[in-house]
Amino acid sequence: MKKILVIHGPNLNLLGVREPDIYGRLTLEKINSMLKKEAKARKVNLVIKQSNHEGQIVDLIGHAKKNKFSAILINPAAYTHTSVAIRDAVAACGLSVVEVHLSNIHSREEFRHKSLISPVASGTILGFGAKSYTLGLAAILDLI
Ligand code: DQA
């Protein structure tokens, strides 16, 4: 069975209570169970991680191929806009990487308009709330 790595970046552990008008009321647990249900139906295995630490995310991406993952679904959260290290890890990892965002980063503050990750990702899905994740997973399943 193929394995997909799902990475949630900083502060996404707070979904449900964090700025619900922007990010919705679903908790991360709920989003993860939606993803797991979808993965089960499509007969793929998901390993889901959340980290508030840039280096940990770099390590997860950097070890993904060696750990036999076929692709990565990532919401880099605030690191989207700041992390050259995560961008370089994505570029180097040798796997398809789909970037997702709950909110439409282009309709928000100017500092969110630029993603350092998008140019090195296979594709980006944003602005559909929790659905961005299930659409992202569907895109990955088409890619692998
Ligand atoms: C986010 C958008 C980012 O700008 C923000 O820092 C997040 C979440 C999203 O999913 O909409 O933490 O990645």
Side-chain angles (χ1 to χ4, degrees), residues 10 18 23 75 77-78 81 101-103 105 108 112:
R18 173 193 182 201
Y23 298 118
N75 183 348
H81 319 295
H101 298 283
L102 296 147
S103 64
I105 57 177
R108 299 183 60 198
R112 294 186 204 273

Side-chain angles (χ1 to χ4, degrees), residues 15-56:
L15 285 180
V17 289
R18 173 193 182 201
E19 300 180 273
D21 292 348
I22 297 172
Y23 298 118
R25 289 181 195 280
L26 291 187
T27 62
L28 191 62
E29 263 177 25
K30 180 71 190 154
I31 290 175
N32 288 342
S33 67
M34 281 165 52
L35 287 173
K36 280 184 192 153
K37 197 172 155 200
E38 190 63 27
K40 198 173 170 196
R42 302 287 299 261
K43 297 196 169 24
V44 294
N45 206 349
L46 287 193
V47 174
I48 303 179
K49 304 280 184 191
Q50 189 276 326
S51 177
N52 294 325
H53 304 278
E54 186 176 20
Q56 264 173 16

Side-chain angles (χ1 to χ4, degrees), residues 88-110:
D88 286 352
V90 168
C93 74
L95 297 173
S96 296
V97 177
V98 172
E99 174 192 6
V100 298
H101 298 283
L102 296 147
S103 64
N104 179 351
I105 57 177
H106 301 293
S107 65
R108 299 183 60 198
E109 303 95 323
E110 207 174 329

